[in-house]
Amino acid sequence: MRPFSLSVLTLVAASLAAPVLSDGHSSRALEAAAKARNANMSMIGYHMGVLGSMAKGEAPYDAALATAAAENLQAGAAMSRIVLYLEGSEQGAVAGSRAKAEIWSDSAGFEKQAIAFETAAAAMVTAAGTDLEALRGQMQALGGTCGDCHKPYRGPRN
């Protein structure tokens, strides 16, 4: 075989061994992004649960614990979406993903909702350490931002 033929065969074999989608992300990268996104949402949910338990009176109000949970929640809300929401990692394309395609087709709307959640999470840091009534009031606002995003941008459980 000629050197040219070998290089063409090598390129073809390499392209089959490492599938890359049209947006430049490998299937492995898309799967990793969906897993990271799910882990981040699990952490946000955990900290929402800590705060929610206090707000509902299921757990005693503890300003230090509430503040710590709110700070962790804020950190999760502030994670850069550019690495968590890779285009092509939507529900149906990647196992375990609940991200709707609307995240990318309506990126301005999605970003607006994400910023509203970040803002509400930041406000929770102050409210959580103030007193139970402040925590309860901000919990309602914070929870509203979750629903406002999940309804248009999160698909049903697989």
Side-chain angles (χ1 to χ4, degrees):
M1 277 193 163
R2 291 190 212 143
F4 176 76
S5 297
L6 281 177
S7 61
V8 170
L9 286 175
T10 303
L11 286 172
V12 169
S15 68
L16 293 173
V20 176
L21 304 177
S22 62
D23 60 1
H25 300 294
S26 70
S27 59
R28 186 170 26 185
L30 296 173
E31 289 168 7
K35 285 180 183 176
R37 187 169 62 233
N38 290 341
N40 186 46
M41 287 295 165
S42 291
M43 290 301 294
I44 288 170
Y46 170 75
H47 292 97
M48 288 283 289
V50 169
L51 296 166
S53 293
M54 288 183 208
K56 294 176 196 171
E58 298 169 355
Y61 172 73
D62 177 326
L65 181 61
T67 299
E71 289 171 345
N72 288 344
L73 177 77
Q74 180 186 25
M79 289 203 121
S80 179
R81 288 172 288 285
I82 196 167
V83 294
L84 292 175
Y85 292 88
L86 297 181
E87 189 165 359
S89 65
E90 70 272 3
Q91 189 171 37
V94 175
S97 177
R98 293 179 67 191
K100 286 184 174 179
E102 286 80 352
I103 288 171
W104 299 278
S105 66
D106 180 24
S107 60
F110 177 70
E111 186 64 16
K112 180 181 174 187
Q113 294 303 325
I115 290 170
F117 177 61
E118 281 184 56
T119 302
M124 178 55 89
V125 174
T126 301
T130 301
D131 60 32
L132 182 57
E133 289 311 309
L135 183 146
R136 284 181 175 149
Q138 188 55 32
M139 193 71 189
Q140 209 167 23
L142 183 63
T145 65
C146 294
D148 289 346
C149 190
H150 287 173
K151 288 173 188 161
Y153 303 110
R154 182 180 71 170
R157 291 194 188 277
N158 294 332

